[in-house]
Amino acid sequence: MTTTATFPGELDGKLGDAIDDRVADALEDYITEGRLDGRIRARRSPGGLAAMVAAGVAAVLLPWCLILAATLPSSYQAGHWKLTWIGLDCGTAIAAGLTAYLLHKRNRHAALTAMAAGTLLVADAWFDVSTAAAGFDRTLSLTEALLLELPLAVCAFVVAARDLRR
């Protein structure tokens, strides 16, 4: 048994020519109006790939959180404890310092560093409180989180939101 493929152009050559003419006219209009520089580019939806990646990350991490909740031990002896805390605080300081510099220069990228600084401050507060021993350490951690880290994080997020509106 033999089959033969037919393409729309084979059925009606006039239809293909009409489509070609319309595409050429549309491209010419775009070039004339300055909306296209003559090169054809793939058309992408805003954030299409990024949105799919973010959704994929969320879809993987949410069940992973349940697995961790069921399998992680309630306590753990951590290696490199000092390095962990110094690294987190240095990262926060760098993000805050870079934000201050970019704000001073009126650079639009300050919103990105402000978001990073705010996120690091929230993470720092979370880990300070959740890893503190009962008693004075936990009270101190809660006080720092409520009076310093979380209000500073809110300020950083406000700065980022303000800069994104510009």
Side-chain angles (χ1 to χ4, degrees):
M1 174 163 100
T2 17
T3 55
T4 332
T6 55
F7 298 98
E10 293 176 4
L11 296 175
D12 183 8
K14 293 178 185 176
L15 177 63
D17 291 342
I19 291 172
D20 289 344
D21 291 342
R22 292 189 74 182
V23 168
D25 290 343
L27 283 174
E28 189 175 321
D29 291 343
Y30 274 95
I31 293 168
T32 304
E33 295 170 11
R35 293 187 285 167
L36 189 66
D37 59 8
R39 293 179 293 183
I40 307 267
R41 293 180 193 85
R43 190 167 182 194
R44 296 185 185 117
S45 64
L49 179 60
M52 286 191 329
V53 169
V57 168
V60 169
L61 282 179
L62 290 175
W64 180 245
C65 291
L66 296 174
I67 292 168
L68 290 177
T71 61
L72 281 177
S74 59
S75 65
Y76 183 80
Q77 181 68 34
H80 308 290
W81 185 254
K82 285 183 181 181
L83 179 63
T84 300
W85 288 108
I86 292 168
L88 179 59
D89 287 342
C90 284
T92 306
I94 290 168
L98 190 54
T99 300
Y101 173 77
L102 293 173
L103 287 171
H104 175 71
K105 293 292 187 179
R106 300 188 188 282
N107 186 309
R108 64 187 176 100
H109 293 103
L112 299 173
T113 58
M115 286 298 292
T119 302
L120 288 169
L121 284 162
V122 170
D124 194 2
W126 173 262
F127 288 112
D128 281 344
V129 172
S130 66
T131 61
F136 178 75
D137 287 348
R138 182 158 301 137
T139 302
L140 181 61
S141 294
L142 277 168
T143 303
E144 286 177 1
L146 294 173
L147 296 180
L148 292 172
E149 293 163 332
L150 295 177
L152 287 172
V154 169
C155 289
F157 295 142
V158 168
V159 164
R162 185 198 68 199
D163 277 9
L164 287 173
R165 281 193 287 261
R166 283 198 278 155

